[in-house]
Amino acid sequence: MPKRSGALTVLYGVTLFASASLLFWVQPMMAKMLLPLLGGTPAVWNTCMLFFQAMLLAGYAYALAVSKWLTLGGQVVVHALVLLSTALTFPILISAEAVRSVPREGDPSLWLLWSLLTTVGLPFFAVSTNGPLLQKWFAETREASARDPYFLYAASNAGSLLSLLSYPLLVEPKLTLGWQSRLWSLGYALLLLLLAACAFAALRRRAKRAGSELRAGAFAAGESRDRVTRTETNSPREADDAAEVENPGDAEVENPGDAEAESLSWRRRLRWVALAFVPSSLMLGVTTYFSTDIASLPLLWVVPLSLYLLTLVFAFARRQIFKPRTLARVLPGVTLIFALVYLSGATQPVWLLIFSHLFFFVVAAMACHAQLAADRPGVRHLAEFYLLLSVGGVLGGLFNALVAPTLFNTTLEYPLVIVLACLLLPRSDADAGAARDTPRERWLDAGIPAGVALLTLMLALAVSRFKFDWVQSLALVVGVPLIISYLFKNRPVRFALALGAVMIGSGFHVNLNRRTLLAERNFFGTLRVTEDAGDRMHWLYHGTTIHGRQSLALDRHCEPLSYYHREGPLGQVFKTFDAKLANANVAIVGLGTGATAAYTRAGQSWTFYEINPAVVSIARDPALFTYLSYCAAAPVEVSLGDARLQLQNAPPAHYTLIVLDAFSSDAIPMHLMTVEALDLYLSKLAPGGLVVFHISNRSLDLHPVVADLARARSLVCLGFDDTARNQPGGKEPSQWVVMARRAEDVQTLATDPRWQTLEGRPERPVWTDDFSNIITIFKWR
C-alpha cells in the first residue's frame, strides 16, 4: 500500500510539473511573437502578463466552480471536453490578419489583449485549470500526503521555474518560433495522457472507498438488532473495535483545517489578496526597469518572474526555510538600503543597480508569500485560496499595465508598492502586545511621517542653497530621513508612511533646479520635458535617459545638440553624405526632439518613422522644441507606427540614407537589429546608400552585434566612438556605426582615423528574430 501511495503522489506531482511547464513556456513565446509588432516596447510584456494573470484567475474560478458543484465523475467529463476542444485551436501562431490590424495610433493595449485572447486564450485557460483541480482530485484520494496537498503547489512552481529558465537559455537560441509552437502542441498531447491517468486513479480510489462504505453500512445494519447486548457483554476493547468498524472513515485523520467548519473572514481574504498583489506589482516594476534601460527580450522578462516563482516554491515547501517573522525583521533594513540606491537616481554601475532591484524584490516577495503560506486554510478552502491569490496577481498586473499609466505621468506605482510591501509587514511580538490602538499611537502613525516629510523638504532647500556635492546632498536629503524612518521598523504603518514621506521629499529635491514643462506617459513609456534656467536649454527625457536637447538662444536654436552635434559621428556622416548625394530621400527611425532635421538640405525629402504619438506631439510643439517647426530646410514627413512594419510600405531602393536611432529610454528595440531587419533596410536602400546605427548604451556593447550583421550580408562596417565627456554646449558622447555595400561608398569616412573598421566573427551566431544573446554583450563593469 505505501508503494502504491507513493506512485500516486509521483503521478500527480509529475502531471502538475508538466502542466506548469507548458503554462510558463507559452508566455515568453507569445510575447516574443508580438513584441516586434509594437516596437519592442517594455509595456508589451507587462500587458501580456496582465492577460496571463487574468486567464489564470479564470482558470482558478473554473476549478472552484466545477469542484464545488460537480461530482468527481462530472468534473472529469467536463474537464475532458475543455481540454480536447482546446486542441482544435493549434498551432499557436500570429495570423497575417492580426499583423495587418496593428493600430498605428492610440494605445494598442486593447488590440494586444484581443490578439492574445484569440491566439492563446483557450490553450492557456485550459492548462491553467489543472493546478487547483488536480490538487483537489489528489485530496479526494485520501492519501497520507493528501491531508495537506499544498506541497504540490511548490512542485507546480518548480516546473514553472524550470520552464522559464530553459526558454531563453535552451529553447529560444535553438528553435524558431514555428518549431516552438509545434513542440508546445506535442507537450500538450503528452499532458492529456498524464491527466487521463490522474483522473482514472482518482475515480478508482473513489469507487473503492464507496464500496467499502457500502459494505460497512450493510454490516452495521445487520448488527444493529443486538447492539445493546453486544455493548453490555463485550469488553471495552471489543466495544472500541465495533465502533471503528461502524465508522471506518474516522480511522483517517484529515487536514485539521477541514476537521472543523473553518470559517474565513473577509478581512482575512482581503489580506490574502493584498499579499498576492504586492509581489505581482513589484515583479512588473522590476521588469519595466530592466526592459526600459537595458533591452526588452525574454531573458530579462523571465529573471524577475523566475525569482517570483522561486519565492513561492520556498514559501509553500513542506519545510520552511525562511520564517515570516525573520523576513519581517530583515525587510525594513533591505528596503532602507534599496531606497537609498533608488532615490539616488544613479545609472551606473549597471550590475549593482540590477542586483539591488532584484535583491529587494526577492526579500519583499518572500515576506509576502511566507505570510500567505503561514495563513493558508485547510483543503476545504483550497480552491478559494488559490482563486484569491490569483485575484491579487491580476490586480497587480492590472495596476501596473493599465491603471498606473492612466493615473500617473511617471512610474509612481513602483515606489507606491514598495511602501505597501512595508505596510503589510506583521507587527513585532513586543509591539503587538503594547498599546497599539490608542488615539495617541494612531496620531503618531500619521504625525511622525509628516514630520519626516517636512525634514526632508527642509534638507533639500538647505542643500540647494549651500551647494553641496552629489554625495553630500544624497546623504543629507535621503540618508538622514531614511535612518530616522528605520527607528519605527517595528510599527509597519509608521515605518511605511515615513518611507513614503522620504520619497516625496526627495522628489522635490531632484526638481528644485529644473522646471518641468511637460510630463506624459503612455503605452510606450514615460516622457518628460524640462527647462534648465542655468544653461537655457530644453531637455527631453525618456525614462531615465536624455533623448535630446535644444538651446533657447536664438543664434543656436537650430544647432543639433546632444548625440547629434556637428562635430560628432553623425555630423561627420551627414557631411560626407551631403557632399556625395545632396538631393536624396532620407529615412530616420526614431524622432526624439527632431534634432536631425537640422541636417536637412533643399531638394531632399525626409521621413521620420516614430511609434510613439506622444513623441510626435512633443517634437511638433514649438513651445517645447522647434527643430521640426523652424529648422527643417526640406519637406519632413512623420510616419507613425513601428518602423519595420511601416518601412515595408516604402518603394524598393527608395532611400539613400537610413538612420536607425530608435530608443526606449536607454534600450534599443532588438527587433530593429536582426538580420531580417537589415534585409528590410537593404531592400529599401538605393545603390551607393548608407545604413547608420546609433548604438550608444549604458548596459550593452552592441559593436559585435552590428559587426556580425554586416558580415552576414557582406557589408563594409565602420564605427566611431565619441567618448569625450563633459563636452561644452550641450553635446553628449555617442557611438555610431555606418554600413555600406561597397568600400568606396564610405571612403571619406574610412580616411578619418576616428572611424574604425568593425569585423564580425564567423563563430558568433548572428542575431535573428528568433535568436539574440544579450549575456555576451552585457557591460559587467
Side-chain angles (χ1 to χ4, degrees):
M1 187 70 176
K3 184 176 180 180
R4 293 173 60 191
S5 171
L8 195 60
T9 302
V10 170
L11 172 63
Y12 274 83
V14 169
T15 305
L16 279 167
F17 186 92
S19 179
S21 297
L22 288 177
L23 197 67
F24 281 82
W25 175 3
V26 77
Q27 295 182 36
M29 183 179 78
M30 276 304 305
K32 187 173 176 65
M33 288 181 183
L34 291 163
L35 185 68
L37 303 180
L38 295 172
T41 178
V44 171
W45 176 247
N46 280 7
T47 308
C48 287
M49 282 301 301
L50 168 63
F51 171 81
F52 293 133
Q53 289 169 325
M55 294 307 296
L56 193 65
L57 173 61
Y60 284 0
Y62 159 89
L64 176 62
V66 298
S67 62
K68 189 173 184 178
W69 295 334
L70 299 178
T71 63
L72 180 61
Q75 294 172 33
V76 171
V77 171
V78 171
H79 200 49
L81 291 175
V82 171
L83 293 169
L84 292 174
S85 62
T86 297
L88 301 176
T89 65
F90 295 156
I92 299 173
L93 292 171
I94 304 297
S95 67
E97 182 181 354
V99 174
R100 289 192 297 268
S101 65
V102 177
R104 294 181 58 183
E105 297 185 20
D107 191 334
S109 298
L110 293 179
W111 174 89
L112 179 55
L113 292 172
W114 175 252
S115 298
L116 287 165
L117 181 64
T118 54
T119 304
V120 76
L122 189 55
F124 191 88
F125 168 79
V127 178
S128 69
T129 62
N130 293 327
L133 199 58
L134 281 175
Q135 292 185 57
K136 189 69 174 177
W137 290 359
F138 184 67
E140 292 286 341
T141 64
R142 303 292 179 89
E143 294 290 331
S145 55
R147 297 169 185 171
D148 185 10
Y150 284 94
F151 73 93
L152 291 175
Y153 189 50
S156 174
N157 284 319
S160 306
L161 180 63
L162 180 63
S163 179
L164 281 174
L165 292 177
S166 63
Y167 185 84
L169 299 177
L170 299 175
V171 177
E172 184 188 16
K174 304 296 183 182
L175 300 172
T176 65
L177 288 170
W179 272 108
Q180 291 176 34
S181 178
R182 297 185 192 98
L183 287 179
W184 195 92
S185 301
L186 178 61
Y188 186 85
L190 296 176
L191 177 63
L192 291 182
L193 298 178
L194 290 172
L195 288 168
C198 290
F200 176 78
L203 289 170
R204 186 179 180 187
R205 284 297 181 95
R206 169 59 70 87
K208 284 186 176 181
R209 191 165 65 250
S212 300
E213 290 172 354
L214 285 174
R215 288 192 296 272
F219 178 78
E223 294 292 318
S224 62
R225 291 188 297 273
D226 58 345
R227 177 178 300 186
V228 175
T229 303
R230 290 168 59 193
T231 303
E232 291 175 350
T233 57
N234 286 355
S235 65
R237 174 64 181 271
E238 290 170 332
D240 291 341
D241 292 342
E244 187 173 333
V245 173
E246 221 172 281
N247 300 284
D250 293 345
E252 294 185 29
V253 180
E254 298 185 10
N255 187 288
D258 289 326
E260 302 175 4
E262 183 183 16
S263 61
L264 299 179
S265 67
W266 281 107
R267 182 174 182 178
R268 188 180 179 190
R269 289 184 173 101
L270 289 175
R271 184 169 178 83
W272 288 346
V273 172
L275 287 170
F277 170 90
V278 168
S280 173
S281 180
L282 283 178
M283 174 188 67
L284 295 178
V286 173
T287 305
T288 299
Y289 167 75
F290 287 167
S291 300
T292 300
D293 280 347
I294 301 177
S296 186
L297 71 173
L299 177 62
L300 297 181
W301 298 337
V302 303
V303 169
L305 183 54
S306 298
L307 292 174
Y308 172 86
L309 293 173
L310 191 62
T311 63
L312 284 170
V313 171
F314 281 122
F316 284 89
R318 282 180 168 177
R319 184 177 179 181
Q320 290 288 317
I321 300 177
F322 304 103
K323 303 295 182 184
R325 289 292 176 189
T326 302
L327 291 165
R329 287 192 291 268
V330 171
L331 183 58
V334 173
T335 305
L336 186 79
I337 297 173
F338 174 68
L340 185 64
V341 175
Y342 179 74
L343 296 176
S344 70
T347 57
Q348 297 286 346
V350 176
W351 69 266
L352 180 60
L353 296 175
I354 291 175
F355 175 79
S356 64
H357 281 265
L358 290 178
F359 186 70
F360 167 77
F361 166 64
V362 168
V363 175
M366 193 71 225
C368 293
H369 288 152
Q371 291 184 69
L372 283 170
D375 192 36
R376 66 188 186 273
V379 175
R380 177 169 171 261
H381 298 290
L382 180 145
E384 182 182 3
F385 177 69
Y386 286 144
L387 180 67
L388 291 174
L389 263 61
S390 184
V391 168
V394 170
L395 290 177
L398 183 67
F399 179 62
N400 281 59
L402 298 182
V403 176
T406 303
L407 294 181
F408 311 133
N409 54 24
T410 62
T411 52
L412 189 59
E413 66 273 14
Y414 196 18
L416 277 178
V417 179
I418 292 171
V419 172
L420 182 58
C422 297
L423 194 63
L424 290 173
L425 285 171
R427 288 190 172 188
S428 66
D429 295 333
D431 188 68
R436 56 187 180 184
D437 293 323
T438 63
R440 178 178 180 275
E441 292 297 324
R442 288 195 294 269
W443 184 90
L444 288 175
D445 283 342
I448 289 178
V452 171
L454 182 60
L455 174 64
T456 307
L457 291 173
M458 293 174 62
L459 289 173
L461 290 171
V463 165
S464 174
R465 182 174 181 179
F466 294 104
K467 305 298 181 183
F468 289 96
D469 62 31
W470 181 81
V471 175
Q472 293 170 333
S473 300
L474 180 66
L476 285 173
V477 178
V478 178
V480 171
L482 283 177
I483 292 173
I484 294 174
S485 302
Y486 186 71
L487 300 176
F488 313 113
K489 64 183 183 299
N490 292 330
R491 294 191 62 88
V493 173
R494 198 173 299 175
F495 174 72
L497 293 180
L499 178 64
V502 176
M503 291 180 173
I504 294 173
S506 62
F508 175 78
H509 166 64
V510 170
N511 296 309
L512 200 58
N513 296 319
R514 187 167 292 174
R515 184 165 66 100
T516 298
L517 303 177
L518 179 142
E520 187 171 349
R521 182 178 182 181
N522 60 13
F523 183 83
F524 301 100
T526 59
L527 297 167
R528 183 164 52 96
V529 180
T530 64
E531 178 180 337
D532 193 318
D535 56 15
R536 299 193 68 237
M537 288 187 184
H538 284 182
W539 303 53
L540 172 63
Y541 288 87
H542 189 156
T544 61
T545 305
I546 299 173
H547 272 220
R549 65 180 87 180
Q550 184 177 23
S551 174
L552 299 180
L554 292 178
D555 59 337
R556 297 188 64 202
H557 78 282
C558 282
E559 177 186 349
L561 299 177
S562 191
Y563 318 105
Y564 316 104
H565 61 92
R566 297 189 187 279
E567 292 77 22
L570 188 64
Q572 295 295 313
V573 170
F574 274 107
K575 184 178 180 180
T576 302
F577 174 75
D578 290 338
K580 283 186 58 179
L581 302 165
N583 300 323
N585 298 319
V586 177
I588 310 290
V589 177
L591 177 60
T593 62
T596 50
Y599 286 104
T600 56
R601 294 290 181 270
Q604 296 178 345
S605 178
W606 281 47
T607 302
F608 284 93
Y609 292 90
E610 175 58 52
I611 195 171
N612 192 342
V615 171
V616 176
S617 299
I618 289 172
R620 284 176 169 169
D621 187 349
L624 302 176
F625 297 99
T626 60
Y627 286 119
L628 290 184
S629 305
Y630 303 140
C631 302
V636 172
E637 179 186 349
V638 177
S639 177
L640 192 60
D642 178 70
R644 277 187 61 173
L645 295 179
Q646 300 307 316
L647 269 171
Q648 294 175 7
N649 301 324
H654 181 66
Y655 294 113
T656 312
L657 178 66
I658 300 176
V659 179
L660 283 303
D661 182 40
F663 285 83
S664 174
S665 188
D666 198 42
I668 299 175
M670 291 302 168
H671 74 292
L672 298 180
M673 303 192 69
T674 64
V675 70
E676 292 88 349
L678 181 59
D679 288 340
L680 173 64
Y681 308 149
L682 293 175
S683 71
K684 308 301 179 182
L685 191 68
L690 306 177
V691 179
V692 182
F693 289 85
H694 185 189
I695 62 170
S696 304
N697 193 279
R698 293 190 297 262
S699 308
L700 304 177
D701 179 11
L702 294 166
H703 293 85
V705 177
V706 291
D708 290 340
L709 288 175
R711 179 190 58 80
R713 293 298 178 260
S714 301
L715 302 177
V716 180
C717 185
L718 301 178
F720 180 177
D721 292 352
D722 177 16
T723 58
R725 298 193 176 275
N726 300 319
Q727 299 183 44
K731 302 172 184 177
E732 298 281 351
S734 60
Q735 298 174 329
W736 295 79
V737 170
V738 175
M739 294 184 190
R741 295 188 179 97
R742 303 176 306 167
E744 49 266 35
D745 294 333
V746 290
Q747 184 175 2
T748 303
L749 295 178
T751 58
D752 189 328
R754 295 174 298 180
W755 288 93
Q756 299 293 316
T757 301
L758 302 181
E759 297 182 358
R761 295 167 58 179
E763 66 271 16
R764 273 194 315 243
V766 65
W767 281 21
T768 68
D769 287 346
D770 293 323
F771 168 79
S772 58
N773 187 350
I774 197 174
I775 297 296
T776 58
I777 62 170
F778 193 83
K779 297 178 182 178
W780 296 102
R781 296 183 180 180

